[in-house]
Each structure stands twice: as C-alpha cells, then as structure tokens.
Amino acid sequence: MHSSVASDAEKNSIHEKEAQIEEIHHEEHKDDISPELEALLHTDPLTGLTSTEVVERTAKFGRNELPERKKNPILKLLSFFTGAIAYLIEIACIIAAIVGDWIDFGIILALLLINALIGFIEEAKAESALDALRQTLALKTRAWRDGRLQEIEVIDLVPGDVIVLRLGDIVPADARLLGIGATGEATEGDLQIDQSALTGESLPVNKNKGAVVYSSSIVKQGQQLAVVTKTGANTFIGRAANLIAITTEEGHFQKVINRIGNFLIYSTVVLVVIIFIYQMVKFKGTPAGDWKNVLENCLVLTVAAIPVGLPTVMSVTMAIGAKQLAAKQVIVKRLTAVEEMASVSVLCSDKTGTLTLNELTFDEPYLANDFTANDILLYSYMASEPGANDPIESAVRRAAESTLPELQDRQSQHDIPGYKITSFLPFNPTTKMTQATAVQDDGKTFKVAKGAPQVIIGLCGGNDDAVRAVNALARRGLRALGVARTVPGDIERYQLVGMISLLDPPRPDSAETILSCNKLGVDVKMVTGDQLIIAKEVAARLGMGRVILDANHLVDPSKSEEDVTLHCQRADGFAQVIPEHKYRVVELLQKKGLLVGMTVTRTCGLGDGVNDAPALKKANVGIAVHGCTDAARSAADIVLLAPGLSTIVDGITTSRAIFQRLRSYALYRITSTIHFLLFFFIITIVEDWNMPAVLLIMICVLNDAATLVIAVDNTQISQIPDKWRLGQLMVLSTVLAVLLAALSFGHFYVARDVFHVAPFVLHSIMYLHISSAPHFVIFSTRVPGYWFENVPSIAFSACIIGTQIVALLFSVYGVFGEAEEVAGCGWAWGMGVLGISLVYFMLLDVVKVWIFRAWSFEFTAKLWPTAARKHTLNMRKLEAKRLEETTAAWHKIGKIVEMHRVAAAFSHQ
C-alpha cells in the first residue's frame, strides 16, 4: 500500500516537473561602468553627496545636458557655394567682371545666389533634431544631498547622486536601482519602466534592485531610490544624440550630381583652355589676339557649355514631385530625398507603431472548463482596475467594452449589467493578481481573479494543459494572463476560466504594404527593440520571413565584418536593438552598396522617436510615419501624414517617376554639353570659326528654360529600384554626342562648301541646327525604350517644339541683324534643318535602345576589366549558381512530397 502511494506520488512529481511554467528571459541591454566610476557610486542613500562632492564631480563629468553642436549659419550658407558646378560658375563670374561683361556677370551671379538660397532654406528645416532631443529630458528631480531630500535642477545631477523615482516620473539620468524607498524603507515589488522611447519595446519592463534605468524612460509603477551612474552625453540617450551629430556625410544625390558636374567641368575647362592658348598664339599681335577679346570669347563658350541650369532644373523637378507627394499625404523635408527614395532597395521599418498598432489587444484565448470567449472577457473585465494607468488593464477593459453587448449600451460606465462589484483588491506585487467579489441580480455571490498565469493556475489547484498552453503562448511572444472564478456554491474554491493572450497586433494594411514593396523590388526588414520571439511572431503574421537576428549579432567580435554584413543583408529583421544597433544596420547595408530607407513612428511617450533619430539621419532616406514626435520628425527627410506604411507605396512610385525625369534631363544635358564642346573645339582649331556670342547665349537660355517642363512630363515607372549607372550614362551620352557632332560637321561643310552660303547666313543655319538637333534628343532620352512607347505630355511637347519655332524665326529672319554678324537663312533652310533634326533624333533613339539593352555588369567588366569588377562578377556568378542548385534541390523535394501525397491518397482508398 505504502509503495503504491509512493509510486503515485513519484508519478505526480514527474508529471509536475513536465508541466511547469517556462520563464521567458528578458534580454536587457548591459551598461558598461568603469571601475573608477563604480567607486563613485557607493553613496549613502539617506545622506547623499555633499556640496563639495557635487562641485568636484560637475567639474569632472560636466552638466547633465546634451552638448549642442550648431554650425555657424554664415558658414552653412557659404557651403552652398561649393561644388564643381558652383566653382566653375564662380570662375565664369570673375572672368565676366575682368573683361567688363556686366550683363553676363549679373546673370551668372543671380543664378549662383538663387541656387545657394534655395538649398540653404531647404536644408535648414532638418537641422533641429538635437534641439528636440535636449527637450526630452525632465526639468527637475528630487535627490538626497547634504542629508536632506531636495528638489534640484536636472542639469545639476552628477554620478553618485541619489534620486527618488516615483510613478509618472521621467528618469532624469541613467541610474541604478537601490531597492529601497525614499526614506530607506524596504520596497515590495519591481519598478515598472516604459522604455519604448529608447528600445521600441511595446510593453513596460519590470526592473528590480541593481537594474539600470535609462534617461528619458518613464516610471509606470512603483517607487525606489536610485544612484545616478551616467549623465549628459554619456547616457543612453546622449550616445544617440552623438550619433546624430556625427552623421553629416554627403547625400547620395549630391554625389551623383557632383560626379556628373566634375565630368562636364573638367571637359569644358580642358578644351576651353586649349582654345584660349591656341587663339592667343595664332592671333598674337592682332586685335583678335588681345587677351580680353580671347577671354571674352572663351567666357561665352564656357557659359554656353557648362550646365548652369543643372541644379535649377533638378531642384524644380524635385520640388514639383514633392508637391505631388504632398497631395498623397507624403511631406518631403529634404528635396533630394525625392530622388533617393526611387533608388531605395531596403526599407528598415520600426515595428511598434509602424508595422503594428502600438496598443495591446486580445488574441485567441485558451479556454478551460467549457467557458466561452465572452465569459473570459467578462470575468477579466470584472477583475480589472477602473482608471488604472496600465497598458494591460486598459487592453482588457477596451476589448471587453468593444466586444460584449451588455457593456456597450450602459447608462453608467461604472456598472456591469446583471452584476454588482462589492469589493475589489487591486494588483499586489506579492500576490501578483487582482481579485473582485461580484453579486448577481439573483443574489448569488462569486469571486473572480486575474493575474500571473502560474499564480492563477496554482489558485485553481493546478492544470497541466493550461501550463502547456501558457508555455506555447510564451514561445510565440504572447503575454498571457490567467483568469479564474469560484465554483457555484463555494466562494473560496476557484476553477480556471482560461488564459487571455495579449499582443500588439499588425496594422490591417501592413501585410499588403510589405507585399507591394516587395513587388517593387524593395526588401522590408523589421527593426525592433522587442524580444526575439515577439519579433518572429509579428513577422509571421505580416507574411515576412522568420529570419530575425538578435541585434547583438551585429556587434559580435567573433564574427568577421564580411560575415556580419552578409547576415545583415539576408535577415528579415532584427530584435532587441538599441540606437547603436539601428545605426549599425543601416551602415552595414550601405557598405554593400544598397540605398536604405528607415521608417519610424512613436505615439506613446515623451522621449519617443529618440532611438530612431540617429538611424534616420544615417539612412539615405529617413521616413517619419504618422504620430512621430519632434526628434524623429526633425531627423527625417520625409514625413507620412497617414497612419501606417500604406502611403509609402505612393511615395516609391511617385519618386521613381521623378527619378526617370531627372535621369532623362541628365542624359540630355551631358549629351548636349559633350556635343557642344566637341564641335566647337574642333571647328575652332581647324577652321578658326566662331559663332556670335548672342546666338550662343540664346541657345543656353532658351533650351535650359524649356527643359524645366520635364518636371510634368509623362514617364515610365520602373518595377525595380532605380540606380544611377554613371558609366552607362557617360558612354551613352558620348556616343550620342559624337553622332550629333558628325551631323553638325555635315551641316557646316554642306552649307559652306556645297551651297556656298554667306558667312552670316551660315551663323543662322548653324545656330538653328545646334539649338534643335541636341534639343530634340530629349524626346529620346526621356524613356529607356523607344520614344513612341511612352508619348510625351502635351505641355512638354509644346515647350520643346515652341522654343525651336522661336529659334526658327530668329534664323529665318536674322532677327539679331548684321551688327551681330547674323543674316536670315530663309524658310527653305530653316524647315530643312528642323526636319533633319527631327528625323535624326529618331535614328539616335535606335542607338540608345541598343546600348540600354546591351548594357550589363558583365559588359562593363569586359569593357573596363578592373580587379574589383572581376571579383564582383565572379561572386555574382557563384551566387547565381548556388541559387540555381538550391532551386533544383527544392524542386526535387517538392516532387518527393507530391509523390508521398499521391501514395497516401491511394492508401486511404
């Protein structure tokens, strides 16, 4: 008998061991404290620091404030006068002043000032991120000093200060909890801290004695003394501010413009200098050889050749694009972000509040003893504290009030129809549950309890199925709460109702938005401070991959930089991140040559958005979603006014249309400049022929003004991220320019040597040709395919053709007169030149399409076989082979699975 009892007890013991609540460990960021600093933290908690110690430590550590780094506005304005194109325009301006050409001087100077002022005003709007960060710190706090509890300014705190943290306080500096109350008494329970502003975690975190609380986090429950460990720039939030301050690298679009500008400028300077030297030598001792005359001729040639309108056309195109985006509730703060967004291939998105709703809601509950979902909602509502400032209590009450019919049409929000709550025991850190006593209308009394799963299961006498259900929920990152009620007729014996599960759910449109982004070639990666299991659960619900990396992997010293970068690129998301990790993710992806977008929103705390500000600044495009705070909005380039990410798809498609217009203009302008320089360099050296300055200026003014309407032209939207292929751009431009130059020489020699036209008439003919032939090429450059596949807009066509009609009239009637060495060429020549220009652009269009189709990375590696290109090509081939083998392996597995299914189907018949 005894052995039988012992055996049963042993079995029960084993069974109990199998069915135990698994503790899910919360990964906490570890703060490093040096031994020297540690020695200063052992302050008597009821005495505090002395005034002398405070003075000494202030001198050593500085004040508890974020350092402000502000650039001199004058120096900032002057920085907009730098850059390749700006330098050449400035040189042209100086030359114009030297030779006394004050009209050109005024025009060039005006262009320079307008471009600089537009840039200065636009960029100044995004420079207030540090100010927003500084304002997130609390203003006053209570601390023990000189044996007295005093209220002091937050900026006066030093390491070693003992401060009081209470419900609702904003933590004023990084501090370590001491586990005692304000007057030295022992405290029960943990301090509940909302640190979502710093880590992005969706739930408050419980912290006990010895744990570190961070500056700008908020105390949600409890009271304790804490000793300050770090202040100012050394705090968790201070390091974030420092990351913003050091992120001042040149933008992607600016790099592209500078490279295009450098290519055109070096070409212009070299050729113009050769012409200057040639004419000075050839016409030495004659009026034509006077250095002022030669310099003035070169100045006109330089102004006509250099792309003085390039920055203006680009800015206007992006500004119109920004207006189009604003109509779709996408506000652009930095104009160049419009272009850069088109090239974004990776979108790193914050989880809490961006991909999710940032509010706890009921998920599928676990039910016991034949209770229903409505039962568990009602009993958990009874056991919830009204008006409690707690996200879990709020979630319970919100779910019940929105689901249960009896709670929706109440006369009083405090009543529960059919029941009366006669007593309520709020949450106690010791018992870890809330309890309520309820009386039904028929007079029957019962109790309900809600709390920690292990406590409620224990209250009901144990339930192995419930334990396993809680463990299953925990492994998926779902927060579980037990609910129980007393059995009828016994007010002290509880039975389990079930387990409610809570989760911050995905936004209704998030999954669809992610799918749309993927179709556009944009890989969406989730970046969150939440735990790994929660991140995986949300990723699965959003239809994302479940390859979520622990952020500590990003800074693992045992891994090589190449391995970490590769893992970062392949991951679907990152969990347990801190500001440095988000910054690191963007940095690693950018090293792979990817353009990265970072989205963020925060809606629930004073310091929110701080953790994302450094990464927003580091990313090629920082996007602040609806509800963001000043820190995130200031650091972002684009602000979405609608909740969630749905408008991001509109932003991507619109920006790609804008990109096509910008690339179209760049291709046209480079082609036009190379053609212009090539023709005039050779014709000047070989024939000593010059075009009158007034005609050169007209080409420059009319053609650049007309191309402004490219901003409203129709275009094709790419289904993959756009990219500035500068090698392709330069090669294609050069080929088209050489073919245009061949046509120009044909016009020149046929008109002069075959038809023997007068010199002044030749000026008019060549003016009309050089104005129209390159200009009509813009009809071809506006799309990568054949020009007729995407018909240009009426406004664009009218402007381009209209300017050439004006040029036609100038040429046919010789409007500028013989005083300017111009004579009318007549309608025959005028219409002939225009007709040839129109037909020729169609021939060039075929060449363009052929080059676009033939161009590939393999082609460039063969054309310019550098070591880096060869290595990249070999890696791409290996990757393609590996992908092919993997696909084949999956195909085989699929066949085996299908065969197994067929066999199983036959076996069941």
Side-chain angles (χ1 to χ4, degrees):
M1 178 73 180
H2 286 292
S3 70
S4 175
V5 171
S7 176
D8 289 342
E10 199 172 306
K11 285 178 183 175
N12 288 337
S13 174
I14 292 169
H15 195 62
E16 283 173 11
K17 283 181 182 177
E18 289 177 355
Q20 288 182 344
I21 299 284
E22 296 173 2
E23 291 292 330
I24 302 298
H25 178 61
H26 181 274
E27 293 288 339
E28 186 71 42
H29 169 66
K30 301 294 188 298
D31 211 20
D32 295 327
I33 296 177
S34 65
E36 295 81 5
L37 179 58
E38 183 64 43
L40 300 175
L41 303 182
H42 301 289
T43 310
D44 185 337
L46 296 183
T47 305
L49 298 175
T50 64
S51 299
T52 306
E53 287 174 319
V54 171
V55 171
E56 290 172 354
R57 296 185 188 196
T58 302
K60 183 176 181 179
F61 296 103
R63 306 187 84 187
N64 182 34
E65 59 183 352
L66 297 179
E68 192 175 5
R69 298 177 177 89
K70 284 211 170 183
K71 191 173 182 180
N72 186 306
I74 296 173
L75 292 177
K76 184 167 178 59
L77 178 61
L78 290 176
S79 70
F80 287 94
F81 290 93
T82 60
I85 294 174
Y87 290 145
L88 193 58
I89 296 174
E90 286 156 16
I91 291 168
C93 198
I94 292 167
I95 294 172
I98 291 171
V99 300
D101 187 351
W102 299 111
I103 294 174
D104 279 346
F105 174 82
I107 293 169
I108 297 167
L109 187 62
L111 276 172
L112 199 61
L113 288 172
I114 289 167
N115 283 332
L117 285 172
I118 289 172
F120 176 74
I121 292 165
E122 288 295 328
E123 294 291 325
K125 294 175 183 177
E127 292 301 321
S128 55
L130 282 176
D131 291 336
L133 282 172
R134 292 176 77 243
Q135 292 167 12
T136 63
L137 291 175
L139 299 177
K140 289 196 174 185
T141 189
R142 293 200 306 160
W144 283 97
R145 282 190 180 173
D146 296 319
R148 292 184 299 112
L149 191 60
Q150 307 176 28
E151 188 173 68
I152 64 170
E153 296 287 336
V154 163
I155 58 172
D156 293 330
L157 284 175
V158 294
D161 259 323
V162 177
I163 58 174
V164 179
L165 297 176
R166 299 175 301 175
L167 174 67
D169 282 354
I170 300 169
V171 180
D174 289 0
R176 183 190 296 160
L177 297 179
L178 297 174
I180 57 176
T183 55
E185 75 281 4
T187 58
E188 288 187 356
D190 300 337
L191 209 61
Q192 199 176 77
I193 301 291
D194 176 3
Q195 55 185 35
S196 61
L198 303 173
T199 64
E201 293 172 278
S202 51
L203 290 170
V205 178
N206 292 327
K207 301 209 175 190
N208 48 31
K209 182 179 179 180
V212 175
V213 291
Y214 298 108
S215 175
S216 283
S217 54
I218 303 168
V219 181
K220 287 292 187 180
Q221 194 176 82
Q223 174 183 297
Q224 277 195 43
L225 286 182
V227 61
V228 173
T229 57
K230 292 182 180 178
T231 58
N234 297 317
T235 61
F236 194 90
I237 189 177
R239 294 199 297 274
N242 186 53
L243 284 174
I244 295 174
I246 63 174
T247 308
T248 55
E249 61 189 43
E250 187 179 44
H252 168 260
F253 182 66
Q254 199 55 49
K255 289 177 184 175
V256 170
I257 292 299
N258 281 343
R259 286 179 67 182
I260 292 172
N262 288 340
F263 174 77
L264 297 179
I265 284 154
Y266 294 149
S267 306
T268 302
V269 169
V270 168
L271 297 183
V272 168
V273 166
I274 291 172
I275 290 173
F276 178 78
I277 294 169
Y278 169 78
Q279 290 192 339
M280 286 293 292
V281 172
K282 174 131 187 179
F283 300 114
K284 186 178 180 182
T286 67
D290 181 67
W291 70 272
K292 277 193 175 184
N293 290 335
V294 175
L295 195 60
E296 190 169 358
N297 289 336
C298 289
L299 169 67
V300 173
L301 196 60
T302 303
V303 172
I306 62 173
V308 288
L310 183 65
T312 306
V313 172
M314 295 290 194
S315 294
V316 168
T317 303
M318 288 186 288
I320 290 174
K323 283 189 176 180
Q324 292 170 351
L325 287 170
K328 297 176 180 178
Q329 294 189 296
V330 180
I331 304 302
V332 177
K333 288 180 64 239
R334 178 172 62 87
L335 274 185
T336 55
V338 175
E339 175 274 336
E340 288 169 7
M341 194 171 179
S343 304
V344 165
S345 54
V346 179
L347 191 63
C348 295
S349 176
D350 182 35
K351 175 184 74 68
T352 308
T354 305
L355 296 175
T356 66
L357 291 170
N358 194 26
E359 60 179 38
L360 286 177
T361 59
F362 262 41
D363 206 63
E364 194 67 31
Y366 164 76
L367 300 169
N369 299 317
D370 296 325
F371 286 104
T372 67
N374 280 3
D375 291 334
I376 199 170
L377 270 176
L378 178 63
Y379 295 138
S380 60
Y381 183 82
M382 289 178 179
S384 297
E385 185 178 356
N389 185 22
D390 181 274
I392 294 175
E393 297 289 86
S394 299
V396 168
R397 297 184 70 82
R398 187 169 56 246
E401 288 170 353
S402 62
T403 305
L404 299 175
E406 59 264 39
L407 297 181
Q408 291 176 0
D409 297 316
R410 294 176 291 170
Q411 291 183 349
S412 171
Q413 293 299 309
H414 300 289
D415 295 336
I416 304 175
Y419 303 91
K420 183 178 182 181
I421 305 299
T422 57
S423 74
F424 183 84
L425 294 176
F427 182 82
N428 187 310
T430 305
T431 62
K432 294 187 176 179
M433 65 177 175
T434 58
Q435 287 179 293
T437 303
V439 179
Q440 295 177 209
D441 285 349
D442 59 8
K444 292 178 181 178
T445 301
F446 64 94
K447 289 182 180 180
V448 291
K450 172 174 63 66
Q454 65 271 26
V455 172
I456 298 300
I457 291 171
L459 188 68
C460 300
N463 185 316
D464 288 349
D465 288 340
V467 169
R468 283 188 281 272
V470 170
N471 290 339
L473 290 171
R475 291 188 201 106
R476 291 168 54 204
L478 298 175
R479 174 73 67 92
L481 280 180
V483 179
R485 65 153 287 169
T486 55
V487 298
D490 189 343
I491 199 142
E492 297 301 329
R493 187 160 67 89
Y494 281 88
Q495 63 177 331
L496 185 66
V497 176
M499 297 288 159
I500 58 175
S501 59
L502 299 167
L503 178 75
D504 177 15
R507 287 183 178 275
D509 61 347
S510 290
E512 186 182 346
T513 301
I514 291 169
L515 184 62
S516 299
C517 286
N518 291 338
K519 287 179 180 177
L520 289 168
V522 179
D523 182 23
V524 180
K525 297 182 186 294
M526 181 169 64
V527 184
T528 178
D530 252 330
Q531 301 298 294
L532 192 63
I533 50 175
I534 297 175
K536 286 186 175 182
E537 176 68 17
V538 173
R541 294 185 181 217
L542 287 170
M544 302 172 71
R546 289 177 65 95
V547 183
I548 309 294
L549 287 186
D550 183 326
N552 291 314
H553 185 83
L554 300 169
V555 288
D556 188 346
S558 66
K559 301 260 188 321
S560 70
E561 185 83 354
E562 190 174 340
D563 284 345
V564 173
T565 304
L566 190 62
H567 294 162
C568 181
Q569 188 177 359
R570 290 178 175 174
D572 298 305
F574 308 89
Q576 293 155 207
V577 300
I578 59 175
E580 288 91 336
H581 291 152
K582 290 195 175 190
Y583 189 89
R584 174 87 167 142
V585 167
V586 175
E587 186 178 49
L588 288 172
L589 292 171
Q590 287 175 337
K591 282 181 180 177
K592 290 291 288 182
L594 301 170
L595 260 70
V596 183
M598 167 65 76
T599 70
V600 56
T601 185
R602 285 285 184 268
T603 55
C604 61
L606 184 62
D608 295 343
V610 173
N611 62 326
D612 301 293
L616 283 172
K617 290 284 276 187
K618 175 67 175 171
N620 299 95
V621 182
I623 305 163
V625 187
H626 172 77
C628 65
T629 53
D630 288 342
R633 192 180 294 113
S634 297
D637 306 308
I638 291 174
V639 179
L640 306 183
L641 298 183
L645 279 180
S646 55
T647 52
I648 204 81
V649 177
D650 288 332
I652 291 171
T653 52
T654 303
S655 65
R656 288 187 184 177
I658 293 162
F659 180 93
Q660 293 294 339
R661 293 173 187 136
L662 294 175
R663 187 173 66 177
S664 167
Y665 175 74
L667 179 56
Y668 153 73
R669 200 65 186 86
I670 298 168
T671 300
S672 180
T673 300
I674 295 173
H675 159 251
F676 190 91
L677 289 171
L678 195 61
F679 174 71
F680 278 101
F681 175 74
I682 294 172
I683 210 74
T684 302
I685 299 295
V686 175
E687 298 289 349
D688 287 330
W689 185 82
N690 291 312
M691 183 177 283
V694 66
L695 296 179
L696 289 173
I697 295 298
M698 287 310 300
I699 291 172
C700 177
V701 172
L702 275 179
N703 290 10
D704 266 351
T707 51
L708 283 173
V709 294
I710 200 170
V712 294
D713 185 27
N714 299 331
T715 189
Q716 290 177 332
I717 295 173
S718 171
Q719 292 302 304
I720 58 172
D722 286 306
K723 187 178 179 182
W724 285 99
R725 293 176 175 83
L726 291 181
Q728 181 194 67
L729 205 63
M730 298 304 179
V731 169
L732 180 56
S733 299
T734 304
V735 170
L736 295 179
V738 168
L739 294 174
L740 280 170
L743 182 66
S744 298
F745 286 117
H747 272 73
F748 180 85
Y749 287 114
V750 167
R752 191 192 68 172
D753 299 339
V754 176
F755 289 93
H756 305 291
V757 300
F760 290 2
V761 174
L762 182 61
H763 287 159
S764 289
I765 293 169
M766 292 310 298
Y767 159 70
L768 181 58
H769 160 71
I770 291 170
S771 175
S772 63
H775 206 48
F776 285 150
V777 169
I778 202 168
F779 284 125
S780 172
T781 64
R782 53 182 291 279
V783 287
Y786 291 108
W787 70 273
F788 53 80
E789 291 176 359
N790 186 277
V791 180
S793 68
I794 294 172
F796 179 75
S797 302
C799 273
I800 299 300
I801 294 171
T803 53
Q804 298 318 305
I805 290 172
V806 172
L808 173 67
L809 295 174
F810 284 166
S811 301
V812 168
Y813 294 110
V815 171
F816 297 104
E818 296 196 3
E820 296 290 343
E821 301 182 351
V822 177
C825 64
W827 283 100
W829 270 106
M831 295 304 292
V833 169
L834 271 189
I836 291 170
S837 295
L838 275 169
V839 172
Y840 202 70
F841 104 74
M842 297 177 192
L843 297 175
L844 293 180
D845 190 57
V846 176
V847 175
K848 175 209 71 179
V849 172
W850 181 84
I851 291 175
F852 267 133
R853 289 179 179 176
W855 196 274
S856 65
F857 184 79
E858 192 170 351
F859 176 75
T860 58
K862 288 177 181 176
L863 206 59
W864 295 284
T866 63
R869 281 200 178 102
K870 286 180 181 177
H871 174 72
T872 305
L873 184 61
N874 289 332
M875 292 301 293
R876 287 188 180 185
K877 285 181 177 177
L878 284 172
E879 188 70 26
K881 187 178 179 182
R882 195 181 297 119
L883 183 63
E884 188 179 342
E885 289 171 353
T886 305
T887 305
W890 275 111
H891 187 62
K892 286 180 182 177
I893 292 169
K895 279 188 174 180
I896 294 169
V897 171
E898 190 61 33
M899 287 169 65
H900 178 74
R901 282 178 182 167
V902 171
F906 276 113
S907 67
H908 286 303
Q909 285 183 353

